Amino acid sequence: MSETALQLDSRDNVLVALQPLTAGTDVRFGHATSPVTENIPPKHKMALVDLAPGDLIRMYGMVVGEVTQPIARGGLVSTRNVRHRAEAYSAQRHSVSLSLPDPTAWANRTFMGYHRADGQVGTRNYWLVLPLVFCENRNVERMKEALEEELGYGSEANSYRQHVRKLLEQKQTSAANDPGTAASKASTRRVFPNIDGIRFLTHQGGCGGTRQDAQALCGLLAGYIHHPNVAGATVLSLGCQNAEVRMLMDELRARDPQMSKPVLVFDQQKSGRDSALMSTALDATFAALERANTAARTPAPLSALTVGLKCGGSDGFSGISANPTLGYLSDLLVQLGSKTILSEFPELHGVEQELINRCVSDEVAQRFYDLMQAYSARAKAVHSGFDMNPSPGNIQDGLITDAIKSAGAARKGGVSPVRDVIDFPQYATTPGLNLLCTPGNDVECVTAQSGAGANLVLFTTGLGTPTGNPVAPVVKIATNSQLAERMADIIDFNAGGIITGDTTIADCAAQLLEFCLDVANGTRLTRAEQLGQYDFIPWKRGVSL
């Protein structure tokens, strides 16, 4: 685009500055021009008409704010003269016309994935080690040191390294006597070449709090064990905590009635000494890793992808470049039978009616309405609200109200029908676009999306964030080229060409989908994977925006 500013919808009464606009000049947008009466920084908004207190600000064709102080035509829209305002909504659906992109070019594409017994397909092959309660965090960390150190990392301080070393020596002695394994032994440094890694989760839950907290945690952990990128899990339990083994197994059975994955559970109170727990857990885990190592990648259709759609560290370009790119990609995938997951309910405030109109049934619409109303009520009960969602960084870079932020954030979901609405920590099972109730908090949201089965997460950012996940590759997409250059060590893909006019949303989405298939194939690691950024924060159900 050659314009210096952009009107996102013909009904809008503000422009988005694509570059600095100088007072006393004219700005061109589309086939029109408008005078600039105040310096407008990039990503911020300029009034197209004179605005008086009480007037409504419109972007994307919807209400995103209310004027509190007069704004002259060509003036800067800011927190000094605008406050949050969003349109009312109801559970009643209204007819909408949806125009979806043609997915034909992708219909026969595949990726190389790990096919699980329950029918899911993984983009990675991990073994999980996790605690049911924070009391076991230390033992999880000791297992991590013991297992990972023998792959060549860290110090000699962990005495359990010797235990794993003996197991390795036994395996190597056995392999030395088998001529058929000599070549593979020499060809790789990894003891288990078909296992992409062992992921160790720790958390601060499992006891204290409410029984609902424990149930939600068990549901989330069950989602991680059931996750297509996970071959099996080692679970450490103290024994007396609220998050009981029985509760975890019930949650896992609800997701996988056949209980098709190995889950090794060890109870410290039953084991007695710490050394007995650790030795037994290490022995069993090592044996399980040998079995998990037999997995191999084979072709899978794109319908086997479940893609989390996330934004964080957003800026005034997020809703123009990277987020619509994700929306276009999502619209392609869901037509091929894939699942996509749009979350961050506080950042859907102001676009509720648009999403309700796209729901495939009254039941789905009502579920979304009820979850949004309940979430908003909880926030107001502690004297907060969705209007307090934008961070200082968001505001500085042009997202001055939650409705402005939400209108751009919702673009990640494209224009496809909403097939299902699920609550945290439920698992996504319906092909198509799913809405998952989560906070906007980066790590809490990605943690929940992965717990819902996302085997790939697409994460847009305008300010930059290193967020990753233990089991799902997180692809970081920059909204602007300056960020992509400045923080190249954490950014995977640059959508900034849309802002400069060097590419289109459709072309950018096609390039991103090719990139994603490389990640799904395992031929490309994300920046977060390269950096070892494996963030995990369970949402303790309460007020988090």
Side-chain angles (χ1 to χ4, degrees), residues 52-91:
D55 287 347
L56 300 178
I57 300 292
R58 291 187 178 274
M59 281 182 62
Y60 303 94
M62 59 186 65
V63 175
V64 296
E66 179 184 345
V67 177
T68 59
Q69 299 291 331
I71 309 173
R73 182 188 183 195
L76 175 66
V77 175
S78 72
T79 54
R80 292 170 299 147
N81 50 37
V82 169
R83 64 186 174 197
H84 172 79
R85 175 79 178 268
E87 290 185 286
Y89 64 98
S90 73

Side-chain angles (χ1 to χ4, degrees), residues 116-296:
R116 304 300 183 188
D118 60 11
Q120 297 186 103
V121 181
T123 61
R124 297 290 185 269
N125 188 34
Y126 294 131
W127 186 268
L128 274 187
V129 179
L130 58 89
L132 269 179
V133 62
F134 55 80
C135 310
E136 293 300 316
N137 282 348
R138 172 185 172 275
N139 286 330
V140 170
E141 293 289 354
R142 298 296 277 174
M143 286 191 69
K144 178 179 180 180
E145 293 169 9
L147 291 165
E148 287 192 342
E149 296 298 348
E150 285 307 309
L151 298 177
Y153 303 99
S155 69
E156 297 284 337
N158 185 350
S159 62
Y160 293 110
R161 286 189 61 186
Q162 303 299 324
H163 190 101
V164 175
R165 186 171 296 158
K166 290 178 181 178
L167 294 172
L168 289 172
E169 289 170 353
Q170 293 170 9
K171 176 179 175 62
Q172 290 163 356
T173 299
S174 173
N177 296 328
D178 181 357
T181 63
S184 62
K185 176 183 173 184
S187 67
T188 180
R189 293 177 57 193
R190 285 198 308 201
V191 176
F192 301 111
N194 291 335
I195 296 177
D196 295 307
I198 307 170
R199 295 290 180 256
F200 301 85
L201 309 183
T202 58
H203 56 81
Q204 302 304 315
C207 208
T210 66
R211 294 297 189 269
Q212 290 87 346
D213 291 337
Q215 191 75 50
L217 176 64
C218 285
L220 178 68
L221 296 179
Y224 271 68
I225 296 170
H226 182 50
H227 195 282
N229 290 0
V230 173
T234 299
V235 179
L236 301 186
S237 169
L238 178 61
C240 59
Q241 71 276 351
N242 288 345
E244 300 176 82
V245 172
R246 171 196 58 77
M247 188 181 291
L248 174 68
M249 292 305 178
D250 286 346
E251 290 284 355
L252 186 56
R253 193 171 291 106
R255 290 159 176 77
D256 179 14
Q258 303 304 315
M259 300 291 280
S260 57
K261 291 183 181 178
V263 181
L264 315 176
V265 180
F266 302 93
D267 185 302
Q268 185 170 9
Q269 291 172 346
K270 291 180 180 178
S271 298
R273 290 184 176 273
D274 182 85
S275 57
L277 171 77
M278 293 293 288
S279 298
T280 305
L282 286 168
D283 287 345
T285 299
F286 192 88
L289 289 171
E290 291 192 285
R291 293 188 292 273
N293 190 49
T294 62

Side-chain angles (χ1 to χ4, degrees), residues 190-529:
R190 285 198 308 201
V191 176
F192 301 111
N194 291 335
I195 296 177
D196 295 307
I198 307 170
R199 295 290 180 256
F200 301 85
L201 309 183
T202 58
H203 56 81
Q204 302 304 315
C207 208
T210 66
R211 294 297 189 269
Q212 290 87 346
D213 291 337
Q215 191 75 50
L217 176 64
C218 285
L220 178 68
L221 296 179
Y224 271 68
I225 296 170
H226 182 50
H227 195 282
N229 290 0
V230 173
T234 299
V235 179
L236 301 186
S237 169
L238 178 61
C240 59
Q241 71 276 351
N242 288 345
E244 300 176 82
V245 172
R246 171 196 58 77
M247 188 181 291
L248 174 68
M249 292 305 178
D250 286 346
E251 290 284 355
L252 186 56
R253 193 171 291 106
R255 290 159 176 77
D256 179 14
Q258 303 304 315
M259 300 291 280
S260 57
K261 291 183 181 178
V263 181
L264 315 176
V265 180
F266 302 93
D267 185 302
Q268 185 170 9
Q269 291 172 346
K270 291 180 180 178
S271 298
R273 290 184 176 273
D274 182 85
S275 57
L277 171 77
M278 293 293 288
S279 298
T280 305
L282 286 168
D283 287 345
T285 299
F286 192 88
L289 289 171
E290 291 192 285
R291 293 188 292 273
N293 190 49
T294 62
R297 290 181 181 270
T298 55
L302 300 196
S303 59
L305 290 175
T306 299
V307 180
L309 308 169
K310 175 73 178 85
C311 57
S314 298
D315 69 352
F317 288 160
S318 293
I320 302 173
S321 60
N323 288 354
T325 297
L326 262 61
Y328 195 98
L329 185 150
S330 174
D331 287 339
L332 288 172
L333 286 178
V334 298
Q335 294 181 84
L336 300 173
S338 307
K339 294 184 284 289
T340 60
I341 303 174
L342 180 64
S343 308
E344 306 175 273
F345 275 28
E347 298 177 20
L348 299 179
H349 180 46
V351 296
E352 295 97 338
Q353 194 64 55
E354 176 191 330
L355 290 168
I356 286 169
N357 292 344
R358 287 161 53 191
C359 287
V360 296
S361 69
D362 291 341
E363 179 186 5
V364 172
Q366 188 66 52
R367 195 179 309 138
F368 177 59
Y369 176 87
D370 291 343
L371 285 171
M372 286 295 292
Q373 288 285 305
Y375 204 147
S376 177
R378 286 198 302 274
K380 291 177 181 178
V382 294
H383 309 291
S384 184
F386 289 160
D387 60 299
M388 300 181 72
N389 171 273
S391 71
N394 294 150
I395 295 170
Q396 182 178 332
D397 268 45
L399 303 179
I400 63 171
T401 72
D402 185 50
I404 291 178
K405 185 177 180 180
S406 296
R411 303 305 106 184
K412 301 190 303 292
V415 297
S416 295
V418 176
R419 298 291 178 184
D420 202 1
V421 175
I422 55 178
D423 195 7
F424 174 81
Q426 291 177 313
Y427 205 85
T429 59
T430 305
L433 176 62
N434 291 253
L435 304 183
L436 168 65
C437 183
T438 75
N441 177 287
D442 290 352
V443 178
E444 287 178 331
C445 177
V446 174
T447 297
Q449 289 183 332
S450 296
N455 52 13
L456 186 67
V457 175
L458 304 184
F459 191 123
T460 71
T461 182
L463 304 177
T465 172
T467 302
N469 183 261
V471 300
V474 179
V475 178
K476 227 67 61 53
I477 300 111
T479 71
N480 61 89
S481 298
Q482 292 79 7
L483 171 65
E485 295 169 5
R486 189 175 70 253
M487 303 184 76
D489 59 331
I490 67 169
I491 297 298
D492 296 286
F493 186 90
N494 180 20
I498 295 171
I499 300 298
T500 59
D502 295 322
T503 190
T504 64
I505 289 172
D507 287 344
C508 194
Q511 294 165 18
L512 178 58
L513 185 48
E514 289 286 3
F515 185 100
C516 290
L517 293 183
D518 287 344
V519 173
N521 285 330
T523 57
R524 184 192 293 269
L525 294 179
T526 65
R527 296 296 191 190
E529 289 176 301

Side-chain angles (χ1 to χ4, degrees), residues 24-42:
T25 63
D26 287 337
V27 60
R28 186 165 67 85
F29 61 100
H31 299 292
T33 60
S34 178
V36 181
T37 57
E38 191 175 353
N39 290 337
I40 312 292

